[in-house]
Amino acid sequence: MTVIDLVAQADGADPLETEPLYHAIDPDLLDSLPDADGFSRLEFSYQGYTVSVTDGTDGVEISLAETGVSVDGSSGDLIDTEFST
């Protein structure tokens, strides 16, 4: 839910209006990362953002960066917007 909430917050949208996360990645995989041996980083695309999941000192950290590609596939300017939990 953290990824969905961050994307919705970045877009100023309701989390219920975002694309289902399972269209981009298996949510069970994300939930299993804190317990995975050797996990350090995972990146995937979701709703025009590059989502980075990293192993931080206090647990898993999630950040977003806009990809500059809209949902319709057209390119735009890259914006250095990041959110973390």
Side-chain angles (χ1 to χ4, degrees):
M1 284 303 300
T2 302
V3 172
I4 294 169
D5 289 340
L6 286 174
V7 168
Q9 182 182 30
D11 287 344
D14 183 330
L16 297 175
E17 295 174 0
T18 61
E19 178 181 339
L21 185 59
Y22 61 79
H23 286 178
I25 193 166
D26 181 354
D28 291 333
L29 170 70
L30 288 178
D31 289 340
S32 70
L33 291 178
D35 299 324
D37 290 335
F39 167 71
S40 63
R41 182 178 182 93
L42 170 72
E43 287 188 356
F44 62 96
S45 295
Y46 177 62
Q47 287 215 187
Y49 294 93
T50 297
V51 180
S52 297
V53 182
T54 56
D55 184 20
T57 56
D58 294 326
V60 173
E61 297 177 358
I62 300 171
S63 63
L64 301 178
E66 288 189 68
T67 61
V69 178
S70 67
V71 174
D72 66 4
S74 62
S75 295
D77 294 332
L78 291 177
I79 300 172
D80 292 330
T81 305
E82 291 195 12
F83 298 87
S84 296
T85 62

